[in-house]
Amino acid sequence: MPHEPREQSRSWWMPTSLVLALTICMPLAVTAGISGKTSVEKMLTNMAQPLFVSIVGTLVVGVALFRRCDQRRDQRGDRGVGMALMIGSSLLWMLSSQAFVSTVLRAWESSVPSAPFASNEPFDYVVVLGGGTTAAPDGRAQFGTVGDRVGYAARLYLSGMVKHLVTTGDNLSLTGTLSGEFQQQDDPSQQTKKIWIDLGIPEEAISELAGQNTSSEIASLKSHPEYWQGKRCAILTSAIHMPRAMRLASRAGISALPIVADYRSGTGPLTCNQFLPDAEELLKLQFVIKEWIGMQVGR
């Protein structure tokens, strides 16, 4: 009986030490040897994030339950729980690492390559799918998380590669809000048009199409054959979104080439930090899953 507290303490001290050695000490040591102080500091910052702390904590509990089960026959039922916690946390670690997510993204984003450009053959119309802008609290139009769509389209026009830009997306007809109403400044196509005009693109070179999601945007484009029938037309959207957009365009009979923007997979050499769990990488993986589901249901 006097030894029971000591045994319980040991049953937690051993798995904690093991997990911390494998998940914290070893990566830091390898990073210090390969990349130096700056990379170690970045890794420590990543290790302080809630997702990493949660995964490591779950691993500790899983190992402790699994190990206790080996030591005491009357707690054999803990083995399944410990195993489930270890497998689940390890799987979450892998799925949220940049090394894994970038591999998935590269495969997905490369499935539809961007159309080639020719300086002597500019596009007549480039249709930029909405979602690249938001409204600041003061109503100012600003780039959103996929703002490269809007910025890249502007660069193409200003460099003479595009004759006319078409922006899509509206919020104004949405209903059922819990409070307030959408204003004109909330309309994605209006936001995009305002940014383009501010960048020096003439208003007469910009058109707008309605649509509250990709399928309705493509439906709006189909109803305007003057943009794509017999014209050199392209659809510009994020790389992660392009496979679904082009499938919908093909299904609608729209003749358009893809221009890819907003790549998420990134480039550069592999680093130790890319093997750590990161909540932002989970979000990227979520986008891929969302796009895949959208393709399966034809939306």
Side-chain angles (χ1 to χ4, degrees):
M1 198 68 174
H3 297 289
E4 188 170 337
R6 184 180 299 176
E7 291 178 3
Q8 290 180 349
S9 175
R10 186 177 300 174
S11 69
W12 285 101
W13 181 83
M14 289 295 291
T16 301
S17 300
L18 176 63
V19 172
L20 294 182
L22 292 175
T23 61
I24 297 179
C25 298
M26 184 181 294
L28 286 172
V30 172
T31 300
I34 296 176
S35 305
K37 179 182 176 182
T38 301
S39 292
V40 169
E41 291 173 347
K42 291 182 68 174
M43 179 170 280
L44 285 170
T45 301
N46 291 339
M47 288 177 172
Q49 302 306 309
L51 180 62
F52 181 87
V53 174
S54 299
I55 290 176
V56 171
T58 305
L59 278 171
V60 169
V61 175
V63 173
L65 290 175
F66 191 83
R67 183 174 178 275
R68 185 191 303 179
C69 193
D70 288 337
Q71 295 174 340
R72 298 180 60 175
R73 300 285 182 181
D74 59 331
Q75 295 185 0
R76 202 177 306 171
D78 290 345
R79 179 184 292 274
V81 177
M83 179 65 74
L85 290 175
M86 287 190 292
I87 293 175
S89 54
S90 299
L91 185 61
L92 180 58
W93 182 306
M94 182 191 74
L95 293 176
S96 60
S97 68
Q98 186 178 347
F100 174 81
V101 175
S102 289
T103 302
V104 174
L105 280 173
R106 274 191 292 271
W108 183 269
E109 292 181 338
S110 63
S111 62
V112 179
S114 193
F117 292 97
S119 57
N120 60 343
E121 192 180 6
F123 284 92
D124 296 305
Y125 290 90
V126 168
V127 181
V128 183
L129 299 187
T133 59
T134 62
D138 61 0
R140 175 180 57 86
Q142 62 182 11
F143 289 114
T145 55
V146 295
D148 187 51
R149 300 182 190 183
V150 179
Y152 190 31
R155 289 170 60 189
L156 291 175
Y157 180 88
L158 295 172
S159 63
M161 302 303 297
V162 179
K163 297 178 182 178
H164 200 101
L165 293 173
V166 181
T167 174
T168 71
D170 65 80
N171 286 317
L172 300 182
S173 60
L174 287 176
T175 59
T177 58
L178 296 177
S179 65
E181 295 180 356
F182 285 107
Q183 304 299 318
Q184 189 173 17
Q185 66 193 35
D186 299 313
D187 190 330
S189 61
Q190 285 290 321
Q191 294 167 355
T192 300
K193 183 178 180 178
K194 180 67 169 62
I195 290 174
W196 283 345
I197 291 174
D198 289 347
L199 291 173
I201 298 175
E203 187 172 357
E204 57 270 21
I206 303 171
S207 298
E208 297 175 61
L209 282 177
Q212 296 168 10
N213 55 31
T214 306
S215 59
S216 61
E217 288 171 330
I218 295 298
S220 293
L221 178 59
K222 183 180 180 179
S223 66
H224 286 271
E226 67 273 15
Y227 294 155
W228 52 270
Q229 205 167 63
K231 302 285 176 43
R232 182 167 164 79
C233 174
I235 293 174
L236 190 155
T237 190
S238 302
I240 201 170
H241 185 227
M242 185 61 80
R244 180 159 64 100
M246 292 308 296
R247 174 177 287 194
L248 289 171
S250 176
R251 194 173 291 175
I254 296 172
S255 176
L257 295 171
I259 296 180
V260 185
D262 183 39
Y263 285 92
R264 306 289 182 89
S265 53
T267 59
L270 194 65
T271 66
C272 294
N273 269 302
Q274 293 176 12
F275 289 95
L276 293 183
D278 189 329
E280 290 186 6
E281 299 303 315
L282 274 180
L283 184 60
K284 294 178 184 178
L285 191 60
Q286 177 180 306
F287 284 139
V288 175
I289 295 171
K290 173 187 172 184
E291 292 297 319
W292 182 84
I293 292 174
M295 290 179 69
Q296 303 313 305
V297 301
R299 302 295 293 173

